[in-house]
Amino acid sequence: AAMPGARPRHVPQRTCIACRQEQGKRELIRIVRTPDSRVIADPTGKANGRGAYLHPVRSCWEKALKGATIRSALKITPAIDDIEALRAFGMALPARESDLL
């Protein structure tokens, strides 16, 4: 039981780079530009490097992988095989938010 007057635990908010919706950091999947200039999915959220966040739904990943969204968020042009790996990761996710329930 929480102490009376205790502040609720702060949940860090992050914005999905595809749909621009804010959500608790834990609900989003982080992608990261590693120090050796790779771009990888970082489900743990602990990898070193510049991070960006995406909802765990295919539509957000497809949108982010199209165009310059990831490039502008991470300030790097991802290698083709990194894009392919992210696309494979994204394709394994549920198609829409409603499919998570």
Side-chain angles (χ1 to χ4, degrees):
M3 309 242 316
R7 290 190 24 205
R9 247 179 78 81
H10 175 69
V11 177
Q13 295 294 301
R14 295 293 181 267
T15 303
C16 173
I17 61 172
C19 69
R20 311 303 301 167
Q21 291 272 312
E22 257 195 29
Q23 197 147 13
K25 185 177 162 182
R26 293 263 162 258
E27 270 85 84
L28 298 170
I29 296 175
R30 183 170 183 253
I31 56 174
V32 68
R33 180 186 79 198
T34 63
D36 59 359
S37 299
R38 300 299 305 258
V39 176
I40 57 169
D42 173 25
T44 65
K46 303 250 190 298
N48 280 333
R50 182 181 178 89
Y53 291 82
L54 282 165
H55 280 110
V57 290
R58 203 177 312 153
S59 55
C60 285
W61 285 71
E62 283 172 348
K63 190 169 173 194
L65 289 165
K66 238 191 335 257
T69 309
I70 288 177
R71 191 171 68 220
S72 48
L74 296 179
K75 310 225 187 306
I76 188 178
T77 302
I80 298 294
D81 44 353
D82 290 349
I83 290 286
E84 289 309 315
L86 290 173
R87 182 166 287 127
F89 188 98
M91 289 306 105
L93 297 166
R96 291 179 307 282
E97 192 92 43
S98 55
D99 300 342
L100 292 173
L101 309 173

